[in-house]
Amino acid sequence: MKMWNQRLLTACLLLMLWTGACTTSVGEPDIPSALDPQGPAAANIANLWWLLFWLGTAVFVIVTALLLFIVFTHRRPGEMMAPDLRAPEHRTWVWWGGVIFPAIILSLTLFFTLRSHIALAYPPTPPALTIEVIGHMWWWEVRYPDHEVTTANEIYIPAGQPVNFRLTTNDVIHSFWVPELNGKIDMIPGKTNSLWLQAAEPGIYRGLCAEFCGLQHAKMQYLVIAVPPNAFAQWVEQQRQPAPAPTDETTRLGQQIFLGSACVYCHAIRGTNASGQLGPDLTHIASRRTLGAGILPNNRGTLGGWTINSQHIKPGNRMPPMNLSGAELQALLDYLATLQ
Ligand code: CUA
């Protein structure tokens, strides 16, 4: 039985190592690491992590060195009794090693942790922009309330500025985490939590759901795209526009197929009658980099596959398979491609 337990443990450890190397995301930005900070909040967290790491390492080295010292210099063969800790020469060790030294180390960690908590509560300057993110099983609704923009799974922010996030969920608990920009925070039903993100430089930062929320938890990702402030203003202006009307026969047919099918119950396209709220807003779907909440690159092939049967790609998601002929699908894809 003992042997069997050891084998089980070894198998579990190997499995953890193996799955630890897995990823389900599109390869655009690298796998994000909290130890590769790209903004002030994440830098604060990474510094705290390294401080705790080196303090822990120092304690480990000192304790191990003492232990080895005692083992190799104070061995008395045949002596079985433990030393009397009440003896005066041992008391000093007990006081220093058991009380004073741990108290100093724990006070230091408490001090630096509280200092980080306070720093993370307040951005360097008051945020000018607020973004609302609503968690859904298994995608992210993104709203810019001051600009009347709604999008999904892709969050544009101006680089170099703090941005305030208001976070909640439409169903179960999710957790909002952009490891390179800040710590994570839960999205809880009936409650709005807030967090600020600031990217020091323009770039693409991967975000993920950090709370198990069902079958497709691992495929609930998003991108935070930090752009220079003027490019951000242009992006907002473009996203505010309603969808353009179709200009040729195929795209007109594609729009008719969209508006005449079950698509409209779940998706909105501003500028048309489609105003469903259950799935992502598709007004500017063609401008997004990914599909299926950060798991596929957005192109005609993946969009076609997703439209016909996303259950093969992300089983259990809320989008049912569509029954379209080849020609209907091509017309629909032509129309969706105009939604830049
Ligand atoms: Cu949403 Cu895990």
Side-chain angles (χ1 to χ4, degrees):
M1 189 62 190
K2 209 173 170 187
M3 189 72 171
W4 192 84
N5 273 342
Q6 278 181 0
R7 280 187 188 158
L8 186 68
L9 186 65
T10 313
C12 286
L13 287 173
L14 284 173
L15 190 68
M16 279 164 68
L17 279 175
W18 179 60
T19 52
C22 287
T23 172
T24 53
S25 53
V26 198
E28 202 165 327
D30 292 336
I31 296 167
S33 166
L35 298 182
D36 181 22
Q38 302 294 325
N44 192 310
I45 293 171
N47 288 342
L48 180 64
W49 192 94
W50 282 111
L51 184 86
L52 296 181
F53 174 79
W54 288 118
L55 273 177
T57 305
V59 169
F60 176 78
V61 168
I62 292 170
V63 170
T64 308
L66 279 173
L67 185 69
L68 292 175
F69 175 74
I70 289 161
V71 165
F72 287 109
T73 62
H74 287 60
R75 267 188 307 183
R76 292 180 198 144
E79 189 178 316
M80 299 299 285
M81 294 293 288
D84 180 8
L85 295 180
R86 284 166 300 182
E89 71 268 30
H90 293 137
R91 276 200 175 181
T92 315
W93 277 104
V94 172
W95 272 106
W96 275 99
V99 180
I100 299 170
F101 187 61
I104 293 171
I105 295 287
L106 291 176
S107 304
L108 279 177
T109 56
L110 179 68
F111 170 75
F112 286 112
T113 307
L114 287 178
R115 203 179 65 159
S116 272
H117 270 272
I118 293 166
L120 291 174
Y122 305 104
T125 53
L129 173 70
T130 292
I131 301 175
E132 294 172 355
V133 182
I134 303 157
H136 294 258
M137 290 164 85
W138 293 279
W139 61 282
W140 311 83
E141 181 180 344
V142 183
R143 293 171 173 270
Y144 294 71
D146 299 335
H147 303 287
E148 292 166 3
V149 166
T150 301
T151 179
N153 307 320
E154 217 173 74
I155 306 172
Y156 273 72
I157 59 170
Q161 302 175 6
V163 177
N164 182 39
F165 281 79
R166 292 168 52 80
L167 307 161
T168 189
T169 168
N170 191 45
D171 37 53
V172 300
I173 300 177
H174 303 276
S175 185
F176 183 89
W177 191 26
V178 192
E180 291 160 311
L181 298 184
N182 202 341
K184 58 192 164 198
I185 190 163
D186 279 357
M187 306 167 104
I188 297 168
K191 188 171 159 45
T192 301
N193 281 338
S194 43
L195 179 83
W196 59 277
L197 295 184
Q198 178 172 343
E201 299 291 332
I204 302 177
Y205 307 98
R206 186 173 291 284
L208 36 107
C209 182
E211 178 75 34
F212 182 73
C213 54
L215 194 58
Q216 298 298 345
H217 156 70
K219 290 187 179 173
M220 185 168 170
Q221 307 185 11
Y222 54 102
L223 299 177
V224 172
I225 301 172
V227 293
N230 54 348
F232 175 75
Q234 278 171 16
W235 177 83
V236 166
E237 204 39 54
Q238 177 241 337
Q239 295 284 317
R240 280 165 61 89
Q241 304 301 319
T247 49
D248 62 51
E249 206 48 52
T250 346
T251 50
R252 214 167 288 133
L253 175 65
Q255 191 193 49
Q256 277 168 18
I257 292 164
F258 187 93
L259 298 176
S261 71
C263 306
V264 292
Y265 297 127
C266 300
H267 295 288
I269 296 180
R270 273 176 292 124
T272 74
N273 292 331
S275 56
Q277 298 288 315
L278 293 175
D281 185 299
L282 301 183
T283 310
H284 296 285
I285 170 91
S287 72
R288 294 186 208 143
R289 290 162 194 263
T290 69
L291 287 180
I295 63 161
L296 290 174
N298 183 9
N299 58 47
R300 192 178 178 94
T302 53
L303 185 57
W306 182 273
T307 307
I308 287 296
N309 193 352
S310 65
Q311 297 300 322
H312 279 309
I313 302 165
K314 197 167 173 179
N317 86 79
R318 301 279 157 87
M319 178 153 158
M322 298 287 294
N323 194 4
L324 296 174
S325 72
E328 286 171 331
L329 177 65
Q330 295 306 329
L332 180 60
L333 291 174
D334 279 339
Y335 170 60
L336 292 176
T338 67
L339 305 180
Q340 283 290 338

